[in-house]
Amino acid sequence: MQQALNLATLTPLYPEIVIALGAMALLMAGAFRPAGAVSLKARDGEIIGWAAILVLAVALYFVAAGPSWKVSLFEGAFINDGFARFMKVLILTGAAASLMLSFDYLKEHVPELFEYPVLLLLAVVGMMMMVSAGDLIALYLAIELQSLALYVMAAIRRDDVKSSEAGLKYFVLGALSSGMLLYGASLIYGFTGSTSLAVIAQVAQSSGAATNIGLIVGLVFLMVGIAFKISAVPFHMWTPDVYEGAPTPVTAFFAAVPKLAAMALLVRVLATGFPGAAGGIKWQQIVVFLSLASMFLGAFAAIGQTNIKRLMAYSSIANIGFALVGLASQNEQGVQGVLIYLAIYMAMTLGTFAAILAMRRGGAPVEDINELAGLSQTNPSMAFILLLLFFSLAGIPPLAGFFAKYYVFLAAVKAGLWPLAVLGVIASVVGAFYYLNIVKIIYFDEAKPAFAHVDRNVFLVMAACGLFVILFIAAPSPLVDAALAAAKSLKP
Amino acid sequence: MIYTAIVFLPLLGALIAGLFGPWIGARASEIITTGVLLICAALSWVVFSDVGFSHHTAKVTVLRWISSGELDVAWALRIDTLTAVMLVVVTTVSSLVHLYSIGYMHEDDGRPRFFAYLSLFTFAMLMLVTADNLLQMLFGWEGVGLASYLLIGFWYKKPSANAAAIKAFVVNRVGDFGFALGIFGLFAALGSIGLDKIFADAPTLIGHKISIFGVNADMLTVLCLLLFMGAMGKSAQLGLHTWLPDAMEGPTPVSALIHAATMVTAGVFMVARLSPLFELSPDASRVVMYVGTATAFFAATVGLVQNDIKRVIAYSTCSQLGYMFAALGAGAYGAGIFHLFTHAFFKALLFLGAGSVIHAMHHEQDMRNMGGLAKKIPITFAMMTIGTLALTGLGIPHYFGFAGFHSKDAIIEAAFAAHTPYNIVFWTLVFAAFMTSFYSWRLVFMTFFQAPRWGEGHGHDHGHDGAAAHANDHAHGHGDHHHEPHESPQVMLIPLYVLALGSVAAGFVFAPYFIGHDYKEFWGKSLFEGEHNHVMHAMHELPEWVGFAPFVAMLAGLALAYLFYIKAPGLPAATARAFRPLYLFLLNKWYFDELYDAVFVKPAMWIGRALWKGGDGAIIDGTIDGTGATVLAGSNQAMKLQTGFVYHYAFAMLIGVAAILSYMIVQAGGFK
């Protein structure tokens, strides 16, 4: 069907347009500011940061005010449905929170003042297009828009060896995964004759799809490309190095937001492009493998870590494994579980990274886990929030993290995947070890000197996440219902 | 309203003293709990006259408790004559014991705690006797067990007190297990644990069989026996009696309240309350009667040779409880409860009197170190004598008698009327009455007569009642070996007067109602008698000599005690030498403790040790430690993969892709 391209039909695209324009405006402001007249001051960092957050807020408004029904634009390349809207709300919230976490960093790195928010906004545009992608070409473009911004962000500290190394590693391996993804996409196009997920779905459900080697190879490569983005094992190797090397606000953003978008992309591709297991391609087994490998490697490798950022990298790998359990269930409940998991995961991750950012002593960040020793005496409120977050990450009821796991495991059991659920529970028990170990260090070890005063915005994010984690049980229905509606909207 | 107040006011007192004791102070705690209990006692007598003589029974629902499937349980107070009698007994004795404790415990630092426990006990006991369903009864049952545990171990720094507390708790668990099974069984059979429903539906179970371990047994008998097992534990009947003498480690007022007058009679109350059930199972009733009789006999024999003043009274309690069960088993429920009622007065009197003696003797409990106290503490002596007269049952048939005369003789008559083979129950109980008389007078003679044995500067062990209290006993001139016995203060003597009054009068005043011709009108529906149960009538139509038998036994016991301990003081030792094996057998309480130690305690310790070393240490800890080591090893392996080289990472990705691809292609059936 041919649509007249006018502003009215573009309503669903407003959020992306707003952010893209906002990014341009900030870039222009940075580029054309009166040269040499007034040099940038640290205070300006906060102003620019708030400006970027304002852009995100406006976009969020357009997401909320946009059509709540399913709208396809550009021949189905851009899909706006409940699923996309749910993910966009998460992405925008997460991006805004990560920006709040980076004010301190911006103040210290004045020359990058404009680059950082602009790159972050561009990455957000890419991510929002990822969750709306209904076509392989749109998918690829969105991923690349996002990735290119992220590569630069990882290496944003040009004078820092670790940061540069992280950016380079991320870029090289990312290029490899992009290549695989593109190769997979072209194979799929070759064997189905279309780049549209809707058309691909028809072919993938027809008889003979299960033995269509070309299609299978294409799908495997496509999945591997996305698995790299969500850092599922064995495509995760970049994660610890990049998380450690990149500046902490960047790591917080990496851990919390792009993973969500990539995960949503994987869900959409598999659920709408290759729906149903009966007679179709058995991608469920790949997901189960990725899930198990991620859960266990994440849990085991985290135990030996001493750097808290590396530890969180492995934690995020394990968490993606748990989220994949929901996808492996191949049903609506599973998708709902994934969405709930991602939302709660984002809150827990942002809260934890806020705390990591607050670990500063003598003007420099400290990253060793043992530096948290005795935090309960030097900063009891931060210690308690960390206790909540780590208990939640360990999956201890009644905190939110327990319910995140509960919903995905429940879906797996209903789908007959109870061995996966059992193994998942075992992995979460192993994982509980290192989370609880940190709590032990915070509460029972001999106190180290107090950290520097915690920035107001950082503490705000930390406290909000802590509140979310503990209050989720009081009113879970808004999130649970919204996730269910989003999962339902994936049905053709 | 008045009923609710009686039950819950003690709880309020307990909470105030227990939670706020440290702030309001010991004196305030004493006054509040004691005051509350005195109010309760006054209200109870009002209720007693209202229910017993005006027949105003009531049922007060406090709140819905549990509603789950068929199970529907409410907190409800069942007020009938049986409840009213128990209310009077519990609140009266409890209030007097509270009052007495103000004097007795005045040297102790833990008084708020002590009074809180006492009031908590009273609340639980009241909950038990007002229970309208078996679950509520079990609540009170366990509540009094808890309070008993806490109070036996009140001086928690004394190892023997802790051991006694644990023993009481564990032995009671055995009985409670039976009680719980009985409740489960009744619920399974009738679908309800409400008393009204059970009593109404129980006749439908007659003739039903239940298979236990392959034996077909009568269902009602099995259920009754299970319930009776609970009663045996709580009321220290033969086999489950071992905790009661040890419970004397607690402060003496506790012994008087819990281990003489009230808690130990809970079993008697329970059987009486469930009389509609027991009446349907003659076999179970027989068992109750024989167990009661055996206990009465056994405890009396042990009581003959004990030297600790409190232990003598403890075995006496055990024995008297046996009498009560014998009456219940014979079908004379009124007589059993009547004995419970009178026994509460004179046994509390004896215990509190013994406490007064111990107080006077500076926490000396061994009668061998007493003697000649009649002149030193004349009031206590008079009170103890009244208690002994009441316990031994002095009285002239048809004219006048102390409390025990009316109630115990009624039981013995009921035993005769129950027609057992060779009248064995009757003769055993008469013989036990003889022994009761002997050991009671022995106690009086050894304590109050004979030459004083306390002024000799003996280095006796102080570690009995009140080691902790003794620690801050400066006022008593500690360290001075020559301590002069002194009379107790008024606050301790007033309770003795009141109880003495009860011991004298409770028998002849209430006998006409409890067991007289109009007993049915008095008890109303609270006690049930089957169609074939004519014991209460038969009791009044016995041969003349039956009524005199206990009287003669009592006089014989008195005479023998007089001979042994006043006339010829060398005789006890000579007798003990002549019958040494028998003497040791009795002194060691028939070796029950040793038997249980060998049969249950030692093997249990052995199993526990084996499970601890082998099961817990080797298997569980080994597994856990092994798992931990495996996880750490796995963690090291996983970290080794992370080399930091990009080409390693890329290689891992390629291997991953290759592996997944190969698997999927094989799955799809390979290339065609």
Side-chain angles (χ1 to χ4, degrees), chain A residues 135-475:
Chain A
D135 183 286
L136 291 181
I137 294 175
L139 177 155
Y140 183 73
L141 285 175
I143 286 185
E144 286 308 299
L145 175 57
Q146 179 229 211
S147 298
L148 285 170
L150 295 186
Y151 299 148
V152 184
M153 282 177 81
I156 197 160
R157 290 199 58 192
R158 288 165 297 240
D159 50 350
D160 184 87
V161 180
K162 270 191 158 179
S163 178
S164 309
E165 183 194 335
L168 192 63
K169 273 183 181 165
Y170 192 24
F171 177 66
V172 171
L173 295 172
L176 180 64
S177 80
S178 275
M180 291 186 188
L181 189 133
L182 202 51
Y183 181 54
S186 45
L187 275 177
I188 291 171
Y189 172 64
F191 281 86
T192 59
S194 172
T195 56
S196 162
L197 288 178
V199 181
I200 294 170
Q202 289 168 12
V203 180
Q205 280 174 307
S206 65
S207 61
T211 53
N212 188 338
I213 297 294
L215 192 56
I216 289 172
V217 174
L219 178 61
V220 168
F221 273 99
L222 188 69
M223 284 176 74
V224 165
I226 303 173
F228 174 86
K229 301 290 177 203
I230 59 172
S231 65
V233 177
F235 312 103
H236 68 286
M237 308 282 274
W238 59 276
T239 318
D241 292 9
V242 172
Y243 277 27
E244 188 190 352
T248 309
V250 177
T251 311
F253 178 63
F254 275 21
V257 193
K259 283 206 169 183
L260 266 59
M263 192 69 201
L265 179 67
L266 185 62
V267 170
R268 187 189 286 284
V269 167
L270 291 177
T272 64
F274 300 85
I281 299 168
K282 295 193 171 59
W283 51 262
Q284 184 189 36
Q285 294 165 341
I286 306 178
V287 176
V288 169
F289 165 72
L290 295 175
S291 164
L292 279 177
S294 304
M295 285 191 292
F296 277 93
L297 188 116
F300 276 84
I303 290 174
Q305 303 302 330
T306 53
N307 181 300
I308 194 156
K309 282 164 75 182
R310 277 188 92 80
L311 183 132
M312 286 309 291
Y314 284 108
S315 161
S316 84
I317 292 170
N319 274 304
I320 281 301
F322 291 119
L324 284 171
V325 171
L327 181 56
S329 312
Q330 281 191 320
N331 54 26
E332 211 166 79
Q333 214 177 358
V335 175
Q336 180 198 11
V338 174
L339 294 177
I340 295 171
Y341 199 98
L342 292 178
I344 293 172
Y345 163 77
M346 188 180 86
M348 296 189 298
T349 307
L350 283 171
T352 313
F353 273 101
I356 294 173
L357 278 163
M359 291 168 61
R360 298 173 66 83
R361 204 176 277 144
V366 288
E367 293 177 354
D368 195 292
I369 292 169
N370 288 318
E371 297 296 331
L372 283 167
L375 183 67
S376 59
Q377 291 160 44
T378 54
N379 190 345
S381 55
M382 179 173 155
F384 184 67
I385 294 172
L386 270 179
L387 170 108
L388 286 179
L389 291 168
F390 283 122
F391 272 13
S392 176
L393 279 166
I396 290 169
L399 301 174
F402 166 76
F403 292 97
K405 290 196 170 78
Y406 171 75
Y407 282 110
V408 289
F409 288 151
L410 194 67
V413 170
K414 289 232 168 119
L417 286 176
W418 58 266
L420 179 63
V422 169
L423 288 170
V425 170
I426 292 174
S428 76
V429 170
V430 176
F433 172 81
Y434 58 84
Y435 296 126
L436 298 185
N437 184 39
I438 300 176
V439 174
K440 178 218 118 194
I441 290 172
I442 291 175
Y443 273 86
F444 299 116
D445 282 8
E446 206 169 316
K448 297 244 169 142
F451 292 131
H453 183 71
V454 181
D455 178 72
R456 189 166 39 86
N457 294 312
V458 169
F459 188 79
L460 201 66
V461 173
M462 200 179 351
C465 293
L467 274 180
F468 171 82
V469 159
I470 198 170
L471 292 182
F472 175 75
I473 190 179

Side-chain angles (χ1 to χ4, degrees), chain B residues 59-126:
Chain B
K59 199 185 311 188
V60 185
T61 305
V62 181
L63 54 91
R64 284 278 294 282
W65 187 12
I66 299 172
S67 181
S68 164
E70 270 187 58
L71 184 66
D72 194 358
V73 183
W75 289 103
L77 309 180
R78 185 187 180 90
I79 308 294
D80 55 17
T81 308
L82 182 59
T83 307
V85 169
M86 293 304 289
L87 285 181
V88 166
V89 169
V90 173
T91 54
T92 305
V93 178
S94 178
S95 56
L96 293 175
V97 165
H98 271 79
L99 191 63
Y100 180 90
S101 302
I102 294 178
Y104 190 83
M105 300 296 286
H106 73 99
E107 293 163 356
D108 201 287
D109 289 335
R111 275 172 292 164
R113 186 164 60 94
F114 181 79
F115 282 87
Y117 288 168
L118 275 188
S119 286
L120 177 71
F121 164 80
T122 311
F123 162 69
M125 190 69 202
L126 292 171

Side-chain angles (χ1 to χ4, degrees), chain B residues 381-427:
Chain B
F381 164 62
M383 295 301 127
M384 286 286 277
T385 308
I386 291 174
T388 306
L389 287 171
L391 169 62
T392 55
L394 178 78
I396 301 156
H398 309 304
Y399 293 100
F400 165 80
F402 284 85
F405 167 77
H406 292 275
S407 56
K408 188 157 65 172
D409 286 17
I411 289 175
I412 292 174
E413 285 165 11
F416 187 86
H419 300 299
T420 50
Y422 307 109
N423 276 327
I424 183 166
V425 170
F426 167 74
W427 287 116

Side-chain angles (χ1 to χ4, degrees), chain B residues 141-177:
Chain B
W141 193 266
E142 298 301 335
V144 292
L146 169 71
S148 159
Y149 167 80
L150 292 171
L151 283 166
I152 295 171
F154 179 73
W155 285 313
Y156 54 85
K157 286 175 184 156
K158 221 163 50 156
S160 59
N162 285 326
I166 293 171
K167 186 172 180 182
F169 209 78
V170 171
V171 174
N172 268 296
R173 290 270 76 60
V174 178
D176 293 351
F177 182 63

